[in-house]
Amino acid sequence: MSKTLHSLLWSGLLALGILPSTVLAHDLQYTTSSGQAVVIKLFYVDNKPFSFEGYEITREGDTLPYQVGRTDGRGHIAFLPDRAGKWRVKAISEDGHGLDFTIATNATARIEGSDKPVYERYGRIVVGSALILGLFGFISLYVRRKKT
Amino acid sequence: MKTAAFLFISLFPALACAHDLWIEREGQLHTLAYGHERSSHEGVKKLEYKPDTVKQAACFNTAGQKLNAESGKDYPATLTGDCATSWFLTSSGYWSKTPYGTKNLPKNEAGAVIDSWLSVESIKRIDRWDTGLPQPLTRELELVPLDNPLQLKPGGKLHLRAWFQGKPAAGVTVAYFGKPRGVTDAEGKVNIRLQNAGFQLIQASFELPLSDGKADKTVHASTLQFDLP
């Protein structure tokens, strides 16, 4: 096949959009969507973010991690579990700080509320309940006194 | 609520790790250890350190006088002597926080740097007590009990003073097994309630600005170690 004919054939294939699959396989595409993710925030006791540090998330029973990466500048990890399960999260910096903990998700990740630490959220529930109970106690005492 | 799809915030135990220094003693042999200290529920996990990170080692009697003691320079660093108090000073060098993680490099060699520091850390173990020990033994950051800590019981209050460069150090954060419990006052004093029996680890740290072109600050850390009966 002459050189000119070869070039013409390639030009034709290109024009028709018919290209060998090996070429197509390297042509990266992307999509964007707004999905639900588990957002984990890592921070020191003085609230400084555990930023730009390496982490890995491994599903219980698996040997290879499901996700590896670095926390963002504010210490966040965004994680999209593909199934229900327990997930071990390990984040350790080179200078020896880190965390190793497990979370459980069901089929989809959906967080109701903020990304505040668990103790803070439960702490608020406890304080709220105590206030409500206290208020009821005060009202019933007031009503009882008024009756007598 | 649209779906019953949730993240169950787990109540599985989280293991926080910050590597600690501590001193193990067998008779007159004092060995510097590094890793996860003994209070961790996963138990002791020792990590090897570079012997050149150990800068000084010293042995003191109950009068606070420095004794002649033999230092082992290889890993693990050792000190052999009849020490009422043993002490090691280490420095892991310069650290730089970058978008690619924290690197053990000075800031002028680490590329894009967000924060940088020189790490200086010491550990002091008290095995015996007398009138010479309620005073600083070194010029580094040091936690000094005001009374005999070895006579305390779990639940007891340990009265401490932090010293640095021969002066009481104010504004030093003091932690008990890694959990901050207080900050030293203008006289360098702070009280810590001891919750556990046996092995005790009280840590102090503070920062000072540094202008050597290699880091923004020096992070001084110091650990006090002793055992309760």
Side-chain angles (χ1 to χ4, degrees):
Chain A
M1 199 187 299
S2 75
K3 209 172 178 180
T4 320
L5 191 62
H6 189 263
S7 306
L8 276 171
L9 183 63
W10 271 98
S11 306
L13 282 170
L14 276 169
L16 289 168
I18 306 163
L19 287 167
S21 61
T22 49
V23 176
L24 281 172
H26 295 284
D27 184 17
L28 275 176
Q29 306 290 315
Y30 73 91
T31 63
T32 56
S33 61
S34 300
Q36 289 291 339
V38 175
V39 180
I40 300 163
K41 185 177 178 183
L42 302 174
F43 52 97
Y44 294 97
V45 283
D46 62 356
N47 266 334
K48 255 190 205 169
F50 191 70
S51 56
F52 301 118
E53 300 297 354
Y55 71 85
E56 61 177 48
I57 300 173
T58 309
R59 200 171 76 97
E60 190 179 56
D62 287 354
T63 47
L64 285 176
Y66 176 77
Q67 181 173 323
V68 295
R70 286 192 187 282
T71 56
D72 70 12
R74 293 163 69 191
H76 291 118
I77 296 169
F79 155 56
L80 293 96
D82 63 344
R83 69 196 98 164
K86 286 180 184 171
W87 305 84
R88 186 174 178 184
V89 183
K90 281 202 281 184
I92 295 169
S93 66
E94 200 183 321
D95 66 338
H97 293 95
L99 269 173
D100 183 347
F101 59 96
T102 302
I103 57 171
T105 63
N106 69 2
T108 29
R110 189 183 178 85
I111 301 174
E112 311 276 6
S114 70
D115 61 350
K116 293 269 167 74
V118 185
Y119 64 83
E120 198 171 317
R121 282 206 267 167
Y122 287 126
R124 283 181 183 182
I125 291 166
V126 171
V127 170
S129 307
L131 279 173
I132 290 164
L133 285 171
L135 192 66
F136 269 111
F138 181 75
I139 291 167
S140 57
L141 197 71
Y142 178 75
V143 169
R144 222 181 264 177
R145 274 196 181 175
K146 212 173 181 187
K147 273 183 185 171
T148 53
Chain B
M1 194 160 63
K2 268 160 73 181
T3 52
F6 318 93
L7 165 75
F8 296 105
I9 300 298
S10 75
L11 301 175
F12 306 115
L15 174 66
C17 61
H19 294 159
D20 296 296
L21 292 172
W22 71 96
I23 300 171
E24 295 185 338
R25 184 174 71 88
E26 276 186 59
Q28 294 201 347
L29 179 68
H30 297 73
T31 305
L32 180 65
Y34 172 72
H36 303 297
E37 40 76 17
R38 288 190 265 171
S39 69
S40 160
H41 59 265
E42 284 203 347
V44 184
K45 189 182 174 190
K46 284 187 201 171
L47 300 170
E48 192 165 332
Y49 50 86
K50 292 177 191 162
D52 63 1
T53 60
V54 182
K55 306 299 179 191
Q56 288 180 55
C59 173
F60 300 89
N61 63 15
T62 52
Q65 293 161 330
K66 199 170 175 180
L67 301 176
N68 284 328
E70 192 186 326
S71 295
K73 305 287 182 199
D74 297 329
Y75 172 84
T78 57
L79 189 62
T80 308
D82 184 24
C83 317
T85 295
S86 47
W87 176 83
F88 288 88
L89 178 70
T90 71
S91 176
S92 55
Y94 291 96
W95 292 89
S96 296
K97 185 170 190 65
T98 79
Y100 311 99
T102 302
K103 312 279 183 198
N104 198 182
L105 289 171
K107 68 177 182 179
N108 53 335
E109 293 175 25
V113 172
I114 300 158
D115 194 12
S116 58
W117 62 96
L118 171 66
S119 172
V120 178
E121 199 168 347
S122 66
I123 167 85
K124 179 171 85 170
R125 175 182 169 129
I126 299 174
D127 282 299
R128 296 197 304 276
W129 183 264
D130 210 340
T131 51
L133 294 179
Q135 62 181 359
L137 304 173
T138 72
R139 291 186 62 79
E140 300 295 331
L141 176 64
E142 189 179 330
L143 283 173
V144 178
L146 300 179
D147 311 299
N148 185 353
L150 308 175
Q151 284 183 342
L152 289 169
K153 289 181 178 154
K157 208 180 264 185
L158 175 66
H159 303 283
L160 291 168
R161 181 176 266 161
W163 292 82
F164 181 67
Q165 300 290 311
K167 291 177 185 163
V172 175
T173 303
V174 179
Y176 185 56
F177 286 109
K179 296 199 167 44
R181 289 285 183 259
V183 176
T184 57
D185 64 14
E187 294 179 324
K189 288 181 181 174
V190 68
N191 299 327
I192 301 291
R193 194 170 292 284
L194 305 178
Q195 292 166 345
N196 314 325
F199 181 70
Q200 305 295 320
L201 216 54
I202 296 132
Q203 296 121 332
S205 66
F206 82 118
E207 299 173 0
L208 282 178
L210 190 64
S211 53
D212 65 353
K214 294 179 178 178
D216 301 328
K217 62 195 174 194
T218 306
V219 177
H220 295 270
S222 183
T223 302
L224 172 67
Q225 177 195 340
F226 57 93
D227 279 282
L228 289 186

